[in-house]
Amino acid sequence: MRKINRIYLKLFLIYGLTFGLLMTLWDYLDEGEIDIIKLIFMTVFFGGFMSWTTIKNLKKTKIKANGKNELNEEDFKATQVKYIPKIITLDSAFERLKKYDIENSWHLKINNSRIEGKTKISWISWGEKILISFLNDKIEIMSKPRLKTQMIDTGKNRQNIELISHILNEE
């Protein structure tokens, strides 16, 4: 089975089953009975539509995995992490990132040996939490959704990781 088909099936199950369970509970609590044919139709339709739009949107934003022109499961993970060599200090990294603060609407602060930030809610996402940790010999860059229940993103966290990596590696 092709990677994209497995991803589509996984998304279909996540969206469809979650929606189906919630609608079954709603019908039971509201009407006291369950119309199984209606729920199966709605579950399949909703799961199919949502998984199709998610994959279409990700292809549209042209997320490329490892320089290839295809999507893989890593592109669908909401939390993205990247390690880069430690070639900059915490304070100079913070100053470099502050230059981009207004342009990207990031709210950054230094907390112990890491830089923490968050983005605002937009049409694309509910906002991201950005953590840049300065370890012994490397820097860990993590971008994850602010909404803890979010399982899939539209590539915004990967974009944050790549932008921060580029800014910190500038000469």
Side-chain angles (χ1 to χ4, degrees), residues 62-79:
K62 297 179 182 175
I63 296 173
K64 294 184 167 91
N66 300 324
K68 298 177 185 171
N69 197 14
E70 68 180 47
L71 297 170
N72 64 26
E73 290 190 40
E74 198 63 31
D75 295 317
F76 289 87
K77 290 185 178 176
T79 300

Side-chain angles (χ1 to χ4, degrees), residues 1-9 55 59 71 76:
M1 184 183 283
R2 286 182 33 207
K3 283 182 194 177
I4 198 76
N5 290 341
R6 278 188 299 174
I7 294 167
Y8 182 82
L9 181 62
I55 289 181
K59 283 184 176 180
L71 297 170
F76 289 87

